[in-house]
């Protein structure tokens, strides 16, 4: 298989959304990992390098939290900032039009916009309530980060928050569960 890559724009979105929260020492540690957070980024980075930077950022910004939670928060800030951007507003507007079902079935394409190696699989677990599971082939050792991406994506797609949980990990893989609660009229 070709080298696993995270594309520069996806990396930039994470950096831009989180740099203001980093310590000067954390910024220097990013530079030591080969990424100038204030400079021009490469077109793509090895997934291992991206994961090391994401881990460093999560630990620098939220040093007292477990990595699963600090990386989830890192991803949520990234998605929330993206949703406030013009392109993000357009993209999430489109996902609201096509609905959560189609958005979940297009998860591989969504993740592939920022990488060259992600694969996903959607499985319906229940119809009442609607429960889906999404398997992701490789979460780069950061299942909490991907949980934050999925939570943020659901929130900005649906306009409200249903539940997304990390069900299990196995090696590089992870399975996330989406529980969708219907919105009652008048709410």
């Amino acid at each position: 298989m070709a080298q696993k890559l995270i594309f520069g724009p996806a990396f930039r979105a994470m950096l831009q959304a989180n740099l203001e929260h980093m310590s000067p020492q954390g910024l220097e540690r990013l530079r030591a990992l080969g990424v100038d957070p204030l400079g021009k980024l490469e077109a793509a980075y090895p997934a291992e390098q991206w994961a090391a930077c994401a881990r460093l950022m999560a630990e620098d910004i939220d040093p007292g939290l477990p990595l699963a939670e600090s990386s989830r928060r890192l991803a949520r800030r990234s998605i929330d900032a993206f949703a406030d951007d013009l392109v993000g507003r357009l993209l999430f507007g489109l996902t609201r039009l096509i609905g959560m079902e189609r958005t979940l079935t297009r998860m591989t394409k969504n993740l592939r916009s920022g990488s060259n190696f992600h694969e996903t699989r959607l499985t319906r677990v229940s119809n009442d309530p609607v429960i889906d599971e999404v398997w992701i082939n490789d979460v780069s050792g950061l299942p909490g980060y991907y949980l934050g991406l999925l939570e943020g994506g659901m929130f900005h797609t649906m306009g409200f928050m249903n539940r997304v949980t990390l069900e299990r990990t196995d090696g590089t893989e992870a399975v996330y569960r989406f529980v969708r609660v219907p919105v009652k009229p008048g709410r």
Side-chain angles (χ1 to χ4, degrees):
M1 173 175 185
Q3 183 179 27
K4 295 177 183 178
L5 299 172
I6 300 290
F7 302 138
F11 204 155
R12 178 172 305 290
M14 180 181 73
L15 288 169
Q16 287 178 337
N18 291 284
L19 280 180
E20 70 183 73
H21 305 287
M22 291 194 66
S23 70
Q25 298 83 5
L27 294 174
E28 281 307 312
R29 290 175 54 210
L30 278 176
R31 287 183 187 94
L33 288 174
V35 175
D36 181 357
L38 303 174
K40 186 176 188 311
L41 294 181
E42 301 294 327
Y45 290 86
E48 300 81 20
Q49 184 180 16
W50 169 85
C53 290
R55 195 173 293 109
L56 183 155
M57 291 176 72
E59 291 169 348
D60 183 73
I61 294 168
D62 291 307
L65 295 178
L67 180 60
E69 179 60 16
S70 62
S71 63
R72 183 193 71 77
R73 292 170 59 142
L74 183 79
R76 275 306 302 266
R77 282 188 298 272
S78 301
I79 286 290
D80 292 346
F82 176 69
D84 286 339
D85 179 77
L86 175 63
V87 173
R89 286 193 307 269
L90 292 171
L91 179 68
F92 282 118
L94 177 62
T95 61
R96 280 189 289 280
L97 286 174
I98 67 172
M100 194 60 172
E101 189 79 28
R102 285 187 54 202
T103 298
L104 287 175
T105 61
R106 297 169 43 92
M107 189 63 64
T108 294
K109 183 176 181 175
N110 297 341
L111 289 175
R112 282 283 182 106
S113 69
S115 72
N116 71 341
F117 62 93
H118 284 111
E119 298 293 335
T120 65
R121 187 171 47 244
L122 176 67
T123 304
R124 174 65 45 95
V125 175
S126 168
N127 286 317
D128 191 19
V130 175
I131 300 174
D132 293 312
E133 287 186 348
V134 174
W135 165 85
I136 302 176
N137 68 319
D138 190 331
V139 294
S140 299
L142 293 168
Y145 185 87
Y146 286 81
L147 177 60
L149 288 180
L150 296 171
E151 282 177 346
M154 178 180 264
F155 177 78
H156 291 290
T157 296
M158 302 296 289
F160 57 92
M161 187 59 172
N162 284 311
R163 192 172 67 230
V164 184
T165 57
L166 172 62
E167 283 300 297
R168 62 190 172 278
T169 60
D170 183 14
T172 62
E173 304 174 0
V175 175
Y176 299 89
R177 181 171 278 201
F178 290 75
V179 178
R180 291 185 270 157
V181 179
V183 176
K184 295 185 173 141
R187 284 192 174 182

